[in-house]
Amino acid sequence: MSLAALRQQLAELVEGTRPALPGLPTGFAALDAVLPDHGLPRGRLTEIAGTPGSGRTTIARQLVATTLHAGWWVAYIDASRTLAARDWAALGAHDSLWVVRPDTPQRGAWCADVLLRSGAFGLVILDGAPALSREIAVRLVRLARASDAAFVLLAPDNQHAGVAGALQLRVQRARAKRTTEPLDLTARLEGQVRAPASPPAPAPMSPRRLLISVEKGGPPARVEVPCAADESRHAARGVRENPQIPDRRGVARRDRNKRGARAGGAGERAIRRGDVALG
Amino acid sequence: MTVAAARGRCATLEVRDWDELCVSREVARTSAAFLSASPQVAPAAGLPGTWWVGATGFEALGGESALAETLQRMARVWHPSARVGIADSCVAARAATWPADGRWRMADGRNAGTRGIVPSGDDAAYLASLPLSLIPMDAEVREALVALGLGTCGALTALSGGDVERRWGAAGLSAWRLAQGIDPRRPVLAHVGPSRQAHAELALSTTSAEPVLFLVRGALERLMADLIRDGRAAAAVSITLTLDDGRGALPSGGMPHTVTREVRVPRAIARVAPWFERCRALLDTWTLTAPVCAVTVSITAVAPLGAEQGDLLAPAWRDPAAAEAAFERLRSTLGARGVVRPVAKDGYCPEREGLWLGLETVDGGRWTVETATHPPSTVNRPPSTVTLRLLESPEPVTVVASPQGEPRALNWHHRRIPIARARGPERLSGEWWTDSPFARDYWRCESEELEQEFLLYRDAQGWRLQGWYD
């Protein structure tokens, strides 16, 4: 038997005994339960699709937090440069989190290439990059497979990389019952509604629940996960004022005077248009 | 020698920028050449262009004068007026190189000989008449000696050693000893390590980096395999590109035009992949003036191979050297703020509640961020909270508002977005003590049509869209 044949046999043996890699937990137990590897598959592409505002970033942040907590290195490519540092600061204490912000969204795929090729990261997330061509997507998946990394692509709805074996998840906001009475716009248009005597209570935002569907790469399933609303602004520092009371802040007064002098900025036009439409 | 004087000797002289790597390479070449004359060769520390060469045991080979002649002939390949001095001590030997005609006189009037050869045992007598400026010493001691009117080595040695030590301490005593020819410096046996260099020529000159990288990878694989076999790791790698600008093909047989760059790592490693990524990062930012026709990869610094091991049984263990290499590549292309880490800070406006700070690597595989100028925030958001996405600069939008100022519809990117619910205003103002004070009315507006929640504000300039919750 030749040496090459022996090597081949050994390689097959080693490959055959290689244990199946467990998935990376997503941080949502309900979602982990329906995913094939009980988490995001490693060495494969996971596409998380959804409209802007659907909750993709919240899912991604939970995923990053869970992966960092498990001791993995994580790279997040913010190709659109729209992540807010304040929301990610709690995770920034980890040594093993890198956020890569390329100068143009087109460079996002190149960054993913470098990060996956290094083999140092357990999770690489590409967010906000333009649609990947099939060739580039296949190459990135190959690199992810070589480094056993979970490669996650955050993409708009209906923008799929078209790679075989990819796991496709779709995120959307679950419809919630309205907690406030609908606005009677007709009445306001007719001028029948007067300004309230007391300051109106702020309308609570709709409670958030995210609906995640497994569309491809696993058994079709749909799970609903909770998501806390960001009430920190209004709860902690918000000053709810009666819009009837004039703004007496010094800076605002100074700015208003300037605006008056200019008489016709974009904001003024907007207000006037609002008056015409609804007043 | 001035540039003009050098041009007078060589009309085709090429003046280049100072290149430390090039100088160290030439020092190594000169040392290697001197080794054919003597087994003890050491470049003098702190004295560029000076070598200590062992001169004992040459009686059967023509003596010291034959050695001096041989060394002078070799050295003049590099410098037209190279000088040689031989003495019992390094300090006297260096002093013996100074007279242009090689005819220093002894203190008693005897001729010290040609080529600056000081007879054995006469170092103190030879140095006695020489100026103190030939003795390396502390500047403060030198000033004090000059102020005392001591101008020659003999005048210094005439003082009592105890007095010198009491007055100027160890520095003075060292100078006093050197003035007598008592010098602890000695040439040492030269150690020539294996050549860690790989050279490859391209079949066709190229302006593209890919063929060069192909050769670099092959060279690195070979060199790293040799290093591992010797139990060493590379701490610095240099890449020399030979440019095809016709200089090497001159009839005068000029040297080919080469450019060299070096890559250093904080911890020596002997793995190909991290080194290749660093070399690729170097080549990505290397602007060349001519096509490349050959590549030389050299390992310029080595260290013992580290015995540290990763925890191969921990699935999350990753190679820090690989991360460092990827970091270097990203940073070389994206700049210092390409790889960042989020830091919270106390602020009122959403864009001032956090910062992106550039990531920096520190020795030992640890990472840190650039120094923050703001105190950290104490606000902690749980990961399951809805996340805000901020536009880099707020975009002006047209808003249809109610008489009370509540947004009802939003025109953004040529699209009208009806707003089902709006919450606000949250009136924020501040930083009136700076050049950019702000006074904004913030509104959180929910669109049922798009299932999206926007963050708008209105200030003196009008309505702006700052971001959305995702």
Side-chain angles (χ1 to χ4, degrees):
Chain A
M1 184 177 282
S2 71
L3 189 60
L6 274 172
R7 274 200 184 126
Q8 175 73 21
Q9 277 194 7
L10 183 64
E12 283 170 8
L13 192 66
V14 169
E15 194 63 32
T17 55
R18 190 177 175 186
L21 296 169
L24 290 180
T26 60
F28 300 106
L31 181 60
D32 288 344
V34 299
L35 291 177
D37 298 325
H38 304 293
L40 286 193
R42 287 162 54 194
R44 279 170 63 189
L45 169 68
T46 301
E47 294 176 79
I48 301 180
T51 56
S54 59
R56 283 176 309 178
T57 317
T58 306
I59 299 280
R61 193 172 61 150
Q62 180 70 36
L63 182 60
V64 169
T66 311
T67 311
L68 286 172
H69 188 69
W72 296 87
W73 284 56
V74 177
Y76 194 109
I77 303 161
D78 176 22
S80 60
R81 299 176 69 92
T82 52
L83 284 191
R86 58 167 212 162
D87 289 341
W88 296 77
L91 306 178
H94 288 269
D95 239 7
S96 40
L97 171 66
W98 288 14
V99 179
V100 182
R101 307 187 89 200
D103 41 7
T104 58
Q106 287 75 18
R107 268 200 192 276
W110 176 81
C111 296
D113 186 300
V114 172
L115 293 163
L116 286 169
R117 196 181 290 277
S118 74
F121 297 91
L123 171 65
V124 175
I125 299 179
L126 176 55
D127 177 13
L132 300 180
S133 69
R134 195 180 134 69
E135 291 75 22
I136 292 175
V138 167
R139 193 175 68 183
L140 293 176
V141 172
R142 200 172 289 160
L143 290 172
R145 191 178 304 136
S147 59
D148 286 340
F151 177 40
V152 176
L153 189 63
L154 299 191
D157 258 343
N158 305 320
Q159 181 184 300
H160 298 297
V163 179
L167 171 68
Q168 282 179 9
L169 304 177
R170 185 162 183 274
V171 185
Q172 54 192 335
R173 287 174 70 175
R175 296 270 179 189
K177 285 184 181 177
R178 297 175 72 111
T179 53
T180 53
E181 288 183 6
L183 291 163
D184 189 359
L185 286 179
T186 319
R188 286 208 174 179
L189 278 168
E190 291 169 358
Q192 294 168 0
V193 177
R194 289 183 185 169
S198 59
M205 307 309 289
S206 304
R208 282 230 176 178
R209 291 191 72 78
L210 304 178
L211 201 60
I212 307 174
S213 341
V214 181
E215 296 201 328
K216 192 184 155 197
R222 180 174 284 200
V223 294
E224 208 172 287
V225 296
C227 168
D230 178 21
E231 297 290 347
S232 61
R233 299 193 61 81
H234 287 270
R237 293 192 299 269
V239 181
R240 292 190 291 276
E241 296 187 14
N242 189 333
Q244 300 293 317
I245 299 172
D247 185 357
R248 297 189 188 281
R249 293 169 298 174
V251 177
R253 201 163 50 237
R254 197 172 65 202
D255 289 342
R256 203 164 42 243
N257 292 341
K258 280 185 199 167
R259 193 175 49 186
R262 279 204 306 274
E268 194 65 27
R269 278 199 300 277
I271 301 301
R272 275 206 224 104
R273 188 192 292 191
D275 290 343
V276 170
L278 295 169
Chain B
M1 183 181 288
T2 62
V3 174
R7 278 201 203 286
R9 287 172 180 265
C10 174
T12 58
L13 180 74
E14 182 189 347
V15 180
R16 292 191 186 180
D17 293 335
W18 182 262
D19 185 348
E20 197 63 50
L21 200 68
C22 186
V23 170
S24 61
R25 195 173 54 203
E26 288 306 311
V27 166
R29 279 182 58 198
T30 316
S31 305
F34 289 155
L35 276 175
S36 62
S38 169
Q40 295 175 322
V41 177
L47 297 169
T50 306
W51 279 262
W52 307 131
V53 179
T56 42
F58 283 87
E59 290 78 13
L61 300 170
E64 290 173 346
S65 58
L67 174 67
E69 193 173 332
T70 308
L71 289 173
Q72 200 166 41
R73 195 176 59 246
M74 287 176 173
R76 287 194 170 166
V77 172
W78 281 273
H79 198 284
S81 54
R83 299 182 300 273
V84 177
I86 295 181
D88 286 348
S89 62
C90 287
V91 63
R94 182 164 178 253
T97 63
W98 280 101
D101 61 351
R103 289 208 173 90
W104 281 112
R105 301 280 167 187
M106 308 291 280
D108 56 5
R110 283 182 291 143
N111 190 347
T114 57
R115 296 190 194 286
I117 299 175
V118 181
S120 181
D122 283 346
D123 278 9
Y126 175 71
L127 289 169
S129 62
L130 300 185
L132 268 180
S133 57
L134 289 175
I135 305 296
M137 69 176 78
D138 192 63
E140 191 183 340
V141 178
R142 190 185 300 282
E143 280 175 20
L145 292 174
V146 170
L148 288 171
L150 301 176
T152 62
C153 296
L156 176 60
T157 54
L159 300 175
S160 155
D163 289 346
V164 170
E165 189 180 16
R166 267 193 297 279
R167 183 149 187 175
W168 292 293
L173 192 62
S174 169
W176 182 77
R177 283 182 176 148
L178 287 174
Q180 296 183 70
I182 304 169
D183 191 346
R185 293 174 293 179
R186 285 284 180 275
V188 292
L189 269 178
H191 172 74
V192 181
S195 168
R196 304 203 187 275
Q197 193 175 72
H199 178 80
E201 292 188 0
L202 289 157
L204 290 170
S205 300
T206 179
T207 52
S208 158
E210 285 308 315
V212 176
L213 282 170
F214 181 76
L215 294 181
V216 167
R217 179 183 275 279
L220 282 174
E221 282 174 355
R222 211 183 82 198
L223 293 170
M224 293 299 158
D226 290 348
L227 274 181
I228 292 168
R229 198 181 54 232
D230 298 344
R232 314 286 285 176
V237 168
S238 75
I239 299 178
T240 303
L241 301 180
T242 307
L243 302 184
D244 185 14
D245 53 3
R247 242 184 250 183
L250 290 173
S252 59
M255 293 287 286
H257 186 188
T258 58
V259 279
T260 304
R261 296 280 187 281
E262 193 179 57
V263 187
R264 281 189 175 268
V265 289
R267 288 178 304 141
I269 44 175
R271 285 189 295 283
V272 175
W275 272 117
F276 181 68
E277 285 302 316
R278 286 173 183 274
C279 292
R280 188 201 286 263
L282 174 71
L283 285 167
D284 282 348
T285 54
W286 199 341
T287 309
L288 297 172
T289 54
V292 178
C293 61
V295 184
T296 306
V297 180
S298 315
I299 295 176
T300 48
V302 294
L305 193 59
E308 60 180 303
Q309 286 189 339
D311 186 356
L312 298 178
L313 296 177
W317 182 84
R318 294 302 207 219
D319 183 5
E324 284 171 15
F327 175 75
E328 285 296 326
R329 183 130 190 254
L330 290 169
R331 199 175 154 122
S332 70
T333 305
L334 306 178
R337 290 293 182 91
V339 185
V340 290
R341 186 164 288 169
V343 176
K345 74 182 188 84
D346 284 326
Y348 291 103
C349 297
E351 77 271 21
R352 298 177 206 211
E353 287 178 316
L355 284 176
W356 293 108
L357 295 179
L359 201 62
E360 290 169 353
T361 178
V362 290
D363 197 8
R366 301 279 302 167
W367 302 87
T368 183
V369 291
E370 58 189 333
T371 311
T373 53
H374 303 278
S377 167
T378 50
V379 178
N380 190 17
R381 289 182 170 76
S384 61
T385 313
V386 66
T387 313
L388 179 64
R389 303 212 62 142
L390 284 177
L391 293 166
E392 277 204 283
S393 55
E395 292 185 11
V397 289
T398 313
V399 169
V400 179
S402 71
Q404 287 76 31
E406 190 174 324
R408 287 283 170 242
L410 161 73
N411 286 330
W412 186 41
H413 288 179
H414 310 291
R415 184 173 181 182
R416 184 183 174 87
I417 303 165
I419 292 168
R421 274 174 293 279
R423 190 178 184 189
E426 181 192 7
R427 290 197 159 159
L428 295 179
S429 66
E431 306 211 355
W432 44 266
W433 57 92
T434 68
D435 291 336
S436 52
F438 63 90
R440 300 173 182 173
D441 285 359
Y442 271 96
W443 290 87
R444 282 174 63 169
C445 305
E446 199 173 342
S447 158
E448 282 197 338
E449 184 186 317
L450 297 184
E451 294 187 340
Q452 199 168 359
E453 192 179 327
F454 297 97
L455 183 65
L456 299 173
Y457 71 79
R458 184 186 158 197
D459 63 4
Q461 278 75 43
W463 286 93
R464 307 257 168 184
L465 174 67
Q466 189 159 28
W468 63 92
Y469 289 89
D470 187 19

